[in-house]
Amino acid sequence: MTKTALTILIFLMMFTESAFVKEAYAVSPAQISIPEKLGFVIQSYESKPMPGSNNKLIIYIQDFHTHYEAQKNLASILEKLVKDFNLNLVLVEGGWGDVSLSYLRDYGSKEKRLEVAEKYLKNGEISGEEYLDIMSDYPIKLQGIENKELYDEHIKAFLEVEKFQSQAKAYIANLSGIVEELRPHVYSSDLLELSQLKNDIDAEKITLADFCVALAGKAKIKEVSLSEYLDFNNFVELANLEGKIDLGKAEEERQYLLSQLTSVLTENELKSVNDEALKKAGEKQFGYYSRLNELAMEKLPDFTKSIWSARTYANLNIYLDYLKASEGIDLTGLSSQIEILTTKIKESLFSSDDQRKLSEISDNLQLLDKLVELKFSPEEYEAYQNKRKTFDFNAWVEFLKTNAAKFSFTKTVDANFSVVADNLDILDQFYQIGEKRNEVFIQNIILQMEDDGTDIACLITGGFHTPFIIEQLREKGVSYCVIAPRITQAANDAQYVKILKEKAGIK
């Protein structure tokens, strides 16, 4: 989702907070806001209240390992959460058991602790949560959620990948460069345009909303039906509505509507606004606004006059449509539908076997690039596993060689595909161990919260683990809020590898 769309949704969740949310949860994900200078709330989910059970909330901060700016912002975010919500349990990857450093507070003044902690944070030797634990006086507990054997095994697998990673990336980059040069010679103008759109979204030159709106336009031209892509359609509608909303006026109109209803409703009827929202939609904002709309149509004679209503509640009506579209979107479904639709449109544009072959090679190289970069989500890894058996590196090289010669390219096609092909099993091992760690994380998160008798905790892991963990949290009825610390500087991957090697006793 676009940053603007996310900002609007977060803002709306904040100013529309109502009593029914507070009745269900001591802390709702909608209550959590982060100063923009520190980071962003990138995703929230509130499970439906479960009578007779504890409704847990995980505040999930994505970790950028050894990145100084990110770690400082993470520490500030965590401090804000501790102050605002009395949070004291912090669950972390990379450790097992109680890994708190609060005992170091006894060994120096706050000023001295700050000086030492700052030095170690800059060197990447401690994390943001450890930094806060050392230099503050907050009663926080850092609890590792790892299985030591699995963790050590994963580091070993990572370091095995690191041995060939740069060479494999260079090989993939060589073939990808040849593909890029061949496109103008092989593709039609429509295929080139679609390919450029894909490149632009991957490089974050355009927003996801812009990409989806453009994709919807191409589907219409090629007469590709969108009727089965509900999440995609809702997102396109969301993108189109986004620029039409005046948030301030929408809130003014909501307050005015409530004032009008106050004069004609009984106390019990007013209370039913919140009760009906809870019953109809659980955590969903749309239920609340739908109930307001129903009451207005029933109790306010002028409200049913379309011209009067359109003028008085113009922004509120747009906002209601916006909420309806936004709450009808499943992000996992959206991602899948975008991929399916892009493929379907591309298939409708192919007019030769060479176009189809070049596209196939391009898609496979992009997949391999993410594989080697260790940036796969669980869904992407599953897609890769399904495609791996179809990989034919020799055929790719021969196709690219033949066409490069045909168009007199000076760049040489690197035929040494063994640097990737021979290491796929090692890469598989890395991802498979990662999946096992994810399962351990989920078990330990729930167990530790129960052991500590708390319904709210902060979880800190790298983004690699996020998709699996939030999926499992949903299945277990645990609410969550995912936060990304702000970073303005590039990560130093070499420093991260250096720290890992030191921890593993490798020079």
Side-chain angles (χ1 to χ4, degrees):
M1 190 174 292
T2 67
K3 177 183 170 184
T4 305
L6 281 170
T7 303
I8 290 175
L9 285 174
I10 294 160
F11 180 77
L12 294 175
M13 282 189 280
M14 288 169 58
F15 82 68
T16 58
E17 180 190 343
S18 53
F20 76 84
V21 172
K22 293 180 180 177
E23 290 173 6
Y25 293 92
V27 179
S28 162
Q31 293 175 262
I32 298 169
S33 62
I34 302 298
E36 194 170 322
K37 66 179 181 179
L38 299 179
F40 305 96
V41 176
I42 59 174
Q43 189 178 161
S44 291
Y45 169 75
E46 190 164 318
S47 68
K48 292 185 178 181
M50 299 179 183
S53 65
N54 292 325
N55 295 292
K56 294 180 172 58
L57 170 65
I58 291 290
I59 305 175
Y60 190 168
I61 306 179
Q62 292 186 324
D63 198 5
F64 295 87
H65 303 296
T66 74
H67 189 293
Y68 174 70
E69 179 188 20
Q71 295 303 321
K72 278 300 286 283
N73 287 336
L74 185 154
S76 296
I77 291 168
L78 185 55
E79 182 173 25
K80 184 178 188 302
L81 296 172
V82 170
K83 288 180 178 178
D84 290 353
F85 305 111
N86 293 320
L87 183 146
N88 53 43
L89 178 61
V90 183
L91 305 166
V92 297
E93 71 168 316
W96 37 93
D98 189 334
V99 292
S100 304
L101 298 181
S102 51
Y103 66 89
L104 294 174
R105 299 174 186 176
D106 297 332
Y107 292 91
S109 66
K110 190 169 184 177
E111 291 74 19
K112 187 62 180 177
R113 289 174 0 231
L114 177 60
E115 178 187 338
V116 173
E118 186 73 20
K119 174 185 173 183
Y120 278 89
L121 189 68
K122 282 184 176 177
N123 292 338
E125 296 175 274
I126 61 172
S127 62
E129 62 273 17
E130 290 172 326
Y131 173 86
L132 182 66
D133 198 20
I134 293 170
M135 54 79 63
S136 76
D137 296 316
Y138 299 120
I140 56 176
K141 174 185 176 182
L142 306 185
Q143 180 72 30
I145 54 172
E146 296 277 5
N147 171 286
K148 184 180 184 304
E149 289 72 25
L150 266 183
Y151 176 75
D152 290 343
E153 195 178 342
H154 208 199
I155 286 186
K156 183 179 177 182
F158 173 83
L159 295 174
E160 285 298 311
V161 172
E162 196 255 343
K163 291 177 182 177
F164 64 83
Q165 191 177 44
S166 59
Q167 192 178 354
K169 286 163 63 176
Y171 173 75
I172 293 168
N174 171 265
L175 296 195
S176 297
I178 301 295
V179 167
E180 198 69 33
E181 286 191 49
L182 279 175
R183 283 197 184 107
H185 299 280
V186 178
Y187 278 6
S188 65
S189 59
D190 285 336
L191 273 171
L192 278 173
E193 191 175 336
L194 182 62
S195 177
Q196 188 59 52
L197 274 173
K198 186 68 170 60
N199 287 344
D200 287 346
I201 187 64
D202 288 342
E204 298 183 349
K205 292 181 179 178
I206 61 173
T207 65
L208 181 59
D210 292 336
F211 179 78
C212 288
V213 169
L215 203 61
K218 292 189 176 300
K220 185 176 181 180
I221 292 171
K222 298 304 295 183
E223 297 183 345
V224 175
S225 173
L226 298 177
S227 59
E228 59 189 291
Y229 305 107
L230 181 60
D231 294 309
F232 178 83
N233 284 329
N234 282 332
F235 187 75
V236 170
E237 183 180 353
L238 194 72
N240 289 328
L241 288 171
E242 185 179 305
K244 300 178 182 179
I245 300 175
D246 185 318
L247 296 177
K249 289 182 179 178
E251 171 61 359
E252 288 175 8
E253 291 167 13
R254 181 182 79 96
Q255 294 287 359
Y256 178 73
L257 178 56
L258 283 172
S259 72
Q260 296 299 299
L261 285 170
T262 300
S263 65
V264 297
L265 296 181
T266 66
E267 186 177 338
N268 285 336
E269 285 175 327
L270 281 172
K271 184 177 181 296
S272 77
V273 174
N274 289 332
D275 291 342
E276 281 298 314
L278 176 60
K279 183 174 72 176
K280 289 174 66 176
E283 80 284 358
K284 293 183 182 294
Q285 300 286 333
F286 179 63
Y288 173 74
Y289 280 85
S290 293
R291 181 57 179 156
L292 280 183
N293 192 59
E294 289 169 7
L295 283 170
M297 292 180 68
E298 179 185 347
K299 301 291 185 178
L300 301 177
D302 285 336
F303 192 82
T304 58
K305 297 177 182 178
S306 58
I307 296 176
W308 185 87
S309 179
R311 288 175 180 169
T312 309
Y313 301 107
N315 292 279
L316 194 57
N317 289 335
I318 295 173
Y319 174 44
L320 189 59
D321 290 339
Y322 183 88
L323 278 178
K324 183 178 181 181
S326 67
E327 297 208 355
I329 295 173
D330 175 84
L331 293 179
T332 303
L334 175 64
S335 177
S336 174
Q337 288 173 21
I338 290 172
E339 184 176 347
I340 293 169
L341 189 55
T342 302
T343 300
K344 186 173 285 190
I345 293 171
K346 186 165 58 175
E347 284 290 334
S348 74
L349 296 174
F350 288 141
S351 58
S352 71
D353 288 340
D354 280 357
Q355 289 176 352
R356 185 172 277 101
K357 185 66 177 177
L358 185 63
S359 176
E360 177 191 331
I361 293 172
S362 177
D363 290 346
N364 287 335
L365 288 173
Q366 288 177 10
L367 202 61
L368 284 171
D369 188 53
K370 290 194 78 172
L371 175 77
V372 171
E373 287 272 15
L374 305 181
K375 292 182 178 178
F376 268 165
S377 68
E379 294 80 10
E380 288 170 328
Y381 179 62
E382 184 179 352
Y384 154 75
Q385 286 182 307
N386 292 333
K387 291 189 73 175
R388 178 180 168 177
K389 58 181 175 291
T390 68
F391 287 173
D392 188 337
F393 290 91
N394 189 58
W396 301 351
V397 169
E398 288 306 310
F399 177 88
L400 295 178
K401 272 184 169 182
T402 299
N403 281 276
K406 178 180 177 181
F407 298 108
S408 303
F409 287 3
T410 56
K411 184 184 287 187
T412 303
V413 178
D414 189 346
N416 184 27
F417 53 79
S418 62
V419 68
V420 176
D422 292 353
N423 288 308
L424 292 180
D425 287 342
I426 296 174
L427 289 160
D428 271 341
Q429 184 182 28
F430 173 84
Y431 283 99
Q432 287 163 7
I433 297 171
E435 288 180 341
K436 291 179 183 177
R437 282 179 68 204
N438 284 336
E439 292 168 2
V440 169
F441 286 177
I442 287 295
Q443 293 171 9
N444 288 340
I445 287 166
I446 304 301
L447 285 173
Q448 193 60 50
M449 291 181 76
E450 290 176 349
D451 286 349
D452 280 41
T454 183
D455 295 332
I456 179 172
C458 180
L459 171 66
I460 303 173
T461 79
F464 169 79
H465 303 283
T466 304
F468 177 87
I469 288 176
I470 63 174
E471 179 186 344
Q472 290 298 305
L473 291 177
R474 276 179 179 256
E475 287 186 9
K476 295 182 183 299
V478 177
S479 299
Y480 60 78
C481 174
V482 182
I483 298 170
R486 172 181 279 280
I487 57 171
T488 59
Q489 301 168 356
N492 185 345
D493 292 337
Q495 184 187 35
Y496 177 52
V497 174
K498 176 178 176 289
I499 295 295
L500 276 184
K501 286 182 175 179
E502 288 175 356
K503 288 182 176 180
I506 301 172
K507 295 183 179 179

